[in-house]
Every structure is written in structure tokens, then in C-alpha cells.
Amino acid sequence: MYRCIVFILILFASQVRADYGYTYSGDLNGDGIADRIMSGPSAMFGNSGGPFIIYLSKADGTYINKVVAFHPKAIAFEKYESGRNSLWGYWRHGTRQGTLFKLSLDGEFKVESITINPIGSNLSSGIYSTVFDKKSLLKIKRVEGYMPPDYPWGKG
């Protein structure tokens, strides 16, 4: 009986530690208030990435949010003097193709996208390298023991 309880506790503890998530905090829309990006449950992530919620601050002190699919190592920030900043992301479809997209951070979350093949030495790989250079990549933190935001992930 004792061995069974120890085994169950070890199994439960290893499952709890297996959960992880991704977070970012910083001023994305240029209003001086920290905005946040938080990932969904780790079980929803694969080679392409997974779901994230972007929380953007508004002038009245509230936040608006948008759920977007990102790969945590392919989220770039583009800052403009006008304040109409953008996030760039890449969603992998397969080994040789994916979608490069630009998301406006003006509260409307307008998306523009193109399909590219960033493998090898071609125009697509040059575009990918330019968008996701070291200066523009967001410093997304991987968090162990993560609890995702309360949201109906995958339902609707």
C-alpha cells in the first residue's frame, strides 16, 4: 500500500512540474503602461507554437485582449514613432512552409500575412531573418509550473 501511494505521489508531482507557459510584460502600444502576453496551456503547444493572449492597456485603465497563435521563439516587436506598433509572428505549416504575419497593436488587432518558405537561402529566409533579428525578438519568458489565464481555450 505504501509503495502505491509513493508511486502515485511521484507520478502526480512529475505531471505538475511538466506544465509550463510563456509570458511577457512591457509597453507594447506606447502608452507608458505595461501590457502582457500570456500563453495558453502547454498541452496546446506543438512544433508550430500555441495560443497566446495579448492584453493591451487602454486610456481608461482597462485592457483589451486578443488570442493569437505564436511560436514563442518567433515573436518580434516593431516600434514606430507614431505609436502604431506591431507584433510579427510565424506559424509553421510544415517543414518548408509557414505564415509570416504582422499584428497591429492599435486595439483593432488587424492582421496582414503571407506564406513563406524560410528554409535555405532564398528571399523568404532573408525576410524571416530580417523580421526576427536579435534586436526585435521579444524576450518571452518560459515559466515552469505555469497556470494559464482563465479563458475557454480551444472552445469556440
Side-chain angles (χ1 to χ4, degrees):
M1 175 72 168
Y2 176 73
R3 287 182 185 172
C4 183
I5 292 172
V6 169
F7 176 74
I8 290 171
L9 288 174
I10 290 171
L11 182 63
F12 178 71
S14 67
Q15 287 179 343
V16 169
R17 279 187 266 132
D19 287 341
Y20 62 90
Y22 301 95
T23 64
Y24 172 83
S25 181
D27 185 12
L28 296 170
N29 56 0
D31 64 359
I33 301 169
D35 305 300
R36 294 176 310 192
I37 301 174
M38 301 176 75
S39 72
S42 58
M44 296 184 80
F45 276 72
N47 289 338
S48 298
F52 285 80
I53 294 181
I54 301 170
Y55 295 95
L56 282 182
S57 58
K58 293 176 27 177
D60 65 3
T62 61
Y63 287 83
I64 55 173
N65 62 50
K66 173 76 173 170
V67 176
V68 180
F70 280 118
H71 190 284
K73 294 184 179 179
I75 305 174
F77 179 62
E78 185 172 28
K79 184 175 183 172
Y80 294 98
E81 287 184 28
S82 67
R84 300 186 69 101
N85 302 337
S86 299
L87 286 178
W88 288 82
Y90 178 75
W91 187 257
R92 185 175 161 229
H93 300 278
T95 57
R96 298 195 167 269
Q97 190 174 357
T99 300
L100 175 68
F101 61 91
K102 180 180 178 179
L103 176 75
S104 72
L105 296 173
D106 59 1
E108 294 183 31
F109 298 107
K110 180 183 170 193
V111 176
E112 298 177 69
S113 64
I114 60 170
T115 301
I116 63 171
N117 171 10
I119 305 299
S121 177
N122 58 36
L123 180 59
S124 291
S125 64
I127 292 169
Y128 184 93
S129 297
T130 301
V131 169
F132 299 109
D133 70 354
K134 290 187 180 198
K135 290 184 222 170
S136 62
L137 281 175
L138 282 184
K139 301 207 180 347
I140 303 291
K141 286 197 272 184
R142 181 180 164 126
V143 178
E144 298 297 328
Y146 178 74
M147 290 295 297
D150 186 20
Y151 181 82
W153 299 103
K155 298 176 180 147

